[in-house]
Structure formats: structure tokens, C-alpha cells
Amino acid sequence: MFLHFLLFNAQASVGTSVIIPADLLTFGFFAVTHVDSFGFGDIGNIDADIANAIAGNPVESQGGAFLFNITEYGVTLAKKLPTKYGDLYVGVSPKLQEVRTMKYVQKVDSFDSDDVKWDDFKDSDFTGNVDIGIAFDTKYDVTFAVTAQNLIPKTFDIKGNDKGLSTVKGDYKLNPMVTVGTAYTPVEWITLSADVELTKRERFDDVTGTINDFNNSFDDTQFVSVGAELNAFDWIQLRAGYRTDMLGTIPGTVTAGLGFSPFGAFHIDVAGSYGGSGVYGGAVEVGFTF
């Protein structure tokens, strides 16, 4: 059996935030958009037969792409609680989520580039969710934290239009993500950190209608990450790190980032990652503090 499924898997994120600190309650606003996509080729046994190809029989093989785009608009409320052992920070972020999906699957001999138009495929859906976080900053330059994102699990149908094959279907799972982490600042301008995801990220799932059996855990991930940051006068931050996927879906990935925050009022962070074998990632975040 000839089987080729995952041809590419790409992700990208862009976000912005505004933070307004206050003694009683710190609050802020944020907006972030994330795109997740994958493409596949589904090769049939008949098409792999040379004699069948020479005979000119109809092609069975198919290919396509799925895309999931989520844009979040939210507000963050955070409170600092001093204790004799250090400062406890508690935060909550209710958010509105706008979801768009796209799907195009077609026989390889029927593919038409004119059918691949974003306006034809996008399907908007609005929903809500919430993130929470707790951090404890000890008096010994060590911070411990735990975050939980998307506390309300959601499943979205990846919809297309009537120009592709309707027999191939799939979902996108937005499951709760719990992460624990710690950071150590041995000197003022160096911070070392480590994070562990306690839950796996499922993403694309329940793909059915393909010729060959589809492995729905092909994009499941659960990372352990370590990193370091060099902070020059609170103006420029240079970051580097490494993360490994405990599920083995993605190879070990090197990450790097650069932050710029003049006067502590404007922040821009650019990050990238590389894991070999065509595994790339990128993110951009812009923020303002008043």
C-alpha cells in the first residue's frame, strides 16, 4: 500500500495587548489571531498500479487542505496579593473567540485552482472561553506559575463549500491546556525558565472519508520547554530556548526571540522556531503598558 498523508503542517500567530497596571487591580485588553493548517495526499492502490495507469482508468487518488483560524478578543484582570513569603499573582482572562475554517479536498485529476478561494470557504462562528493563571514570586528570585487556557472545551467542524469532495470531513478540537512553569533570576539581567504542558494539544481530529486509514493523532503535541533571556536595561530582550515533544510528533525544536521595550511603555516581541524536516514556527506580539 502506498500511503502519503501529511504533506505540510503550518502555524502562525500575531497578537497585540494593552496593559494598565493599578494598585487595586491590573487590567488589560488583548487581541491575538492564530492560524493552523495541514495538507495531505491520499494515494489509492489502483493509482499505484502501473498497468492501470497505462490503461488510462479513472484516477482514485485525492488531496486537500484543512485550515483553522481563531481570533481572540479578551480582557485580563489580575491582582497582586503580598505575603510574607513573596507575592502571589492571580489573573483571569474572559475572551470572545471568532473562528473561521476552510477545507478543500478533490480528486487529483479534478483539481481546479479557481475553486480555491478564501471567500468561498470561510465559515465564521463566535463563541466564548476563559483563561486563568496563578504565579508566586518568592523572595529568593524564583517564580512558580500555572496557567489553564481554554477552560471550556470546544469542537469545530471544518467546513468547506460544494466545490470539493464532501465525503472527507474533519474537526478541530480546542481542548483545555494546563501548563506549569518556573523561572529563576540569578542576576538582574538573566532569567532562566522551564515549562511543562500537563495536557496534550489535540487540534485536527476525526478526519474521515479518506481512502487510506487516517492517523488522527498525527498533530497531537505536549511540550517540555527550557529557555533563557538576557535583558539589557529593560529595553532589549534576547531569548533562546529548546523544546521537546513528549508525544514525539514534532522533533526537538530550537526557539529564538527578540524583544524591544523602550521606557517600558511599548513592547514588540518577535519569535521563531526551527525543528528540522520542514518544521518552522513564528509569532509576533505588540503591547502597550500605561
Side-chain angles (χ1 to χ4, degrees):
M1 174 181 291
F2 288 82
L3 175 60
H4 300 284
F5 260 123
L6 185 59
L7 301 182
F8 69 85
N9 183 213
Q11 301 179 60
S13 298
V14 177
T16 185
S17 62
V18 177
I19 305 298
I20 304 176
D23 292 336
L24 182 61
L25 187 68
T26 296
F27 64 95
F29 306 92
F30 65 88
V32 60
T33 187
H34 177 76
V35 177
D36 199 352
S37 63
F38 83 95
F40 68 92
D42 193 11
I43 311 301
N45 288 334
I46 294 178
D47 299 336
D49 189 319
I50 297 178
N52 179 74
I54 295 175
N57 292 327
V59 174
E60 181 185 53
S61 300
Q62 59 192 12
F66 286 68
L67 183 146
F68 178 83
N69 169 225
I70 183 169
T71 301
E72 299 181 333
Y73 311 92
V75 58
T76 297
L77 305 174
K79 178 65 177 177
K80 175 181 176 181
L81 303 172
T83 74
K84 65 178 181 179
Y85 302 106
D87 295 326
L88 179 67
Y89 298 86
V90 180
V92 59
S93 298
K95 57 190 181 182
L96 175 68
Q97 297 173 312
E98 180 181 10
V99 171
R100 295 183 178 92
T101 64
M102 188 182 88
K103 178 188 73 173
Y104 181 68
V105 180
Q106 188 56 277
K107 299 291 185 182
V108 295
D109 61 347
S110 301
F111 180 85
D112 187 348
S113 59
D114 290 337
D115 290 339
V116 186
K117 296 180 180 179
W118 173 246
D119 289 339
D120 290 341
F121 291 93
K122 67 181 181 181
D123 180 74
S124 295
D125 185 23
F126 285 90
T127 185
N129 222 309
V130 63
D131 303 336
I132 61 173
I134 299 174
F136 184 63
D137 188 7
T138 71
K139 295 182 177 180
Y140 305 100
D141 301 317
V142 179
T143 300
F144 302 96
V146 58
T147 63
Q149 297 177 296
N150 299 313
L151 288 181
I152 306 171
K154 306 278 186 178
T155 299
F156 302 93
D157 180 17
I158 304 297
K159 299 178 181 179
N161 61 13
D162 57 2
K163 296 180 181 178
L165 298 176
S166 60
T167 54
V168 180
K169 301 179 180 180
D171 295 331
Y172 192 95
K173 290 189 175 181
L174 202 64
N175 58 297
M177 288 296 301
V178 180
T179 304
V180 296
T182 184
Y184 173 54
T185 307
V187 294
E188 186 176 354
W189 52 278
I190 296 178
T191 300
L192 307 175
S193 62
D195 299 299
V196 179
E197 294 179 348
L198 301 184
T199 53
K200 69 177 181 179
R201 195 182 304 272
E202 297 184 54
R203 300 161 58 197
F204 291 104
D205 203 1
D206 294 330
V207 177
T208 60
T210 54
I211 300 170
N212 298 281
D213 292 335
F214 191 90
N215 177 14
N216 281 289
S217 62
F218 79 97
D219 62 347
D220 292 356
T221 58
Q222 190 173 355
F223 287 105
V224 175
S225 307
V226 294
E229 178 187 272
L230 303 181
N231 186 356
F233 311 106
D234 292 329
W235 274 54
I236 300 176
Q237 296 80 39
L238 181 63
R239 306 180 182 97
Y242 181 82
R243 65 177 186 173
T244 182
D245 180 10
M246 292 184 285
L247 302 182
T249 301
I250 295 179
T253 304
V254 177
T255 61
L258 180 64
F260 185 58
S261 52
F263 305 106
F266 171 74
H267 311 267
I268 181 169
D269 294 283
V270 180
S273 62
Y274 175 70
S277 302
V279 179
Y280 303 92
V284 178
E285 183 175 355
V286 178
F288 300 88
T289 301
F290 295 94

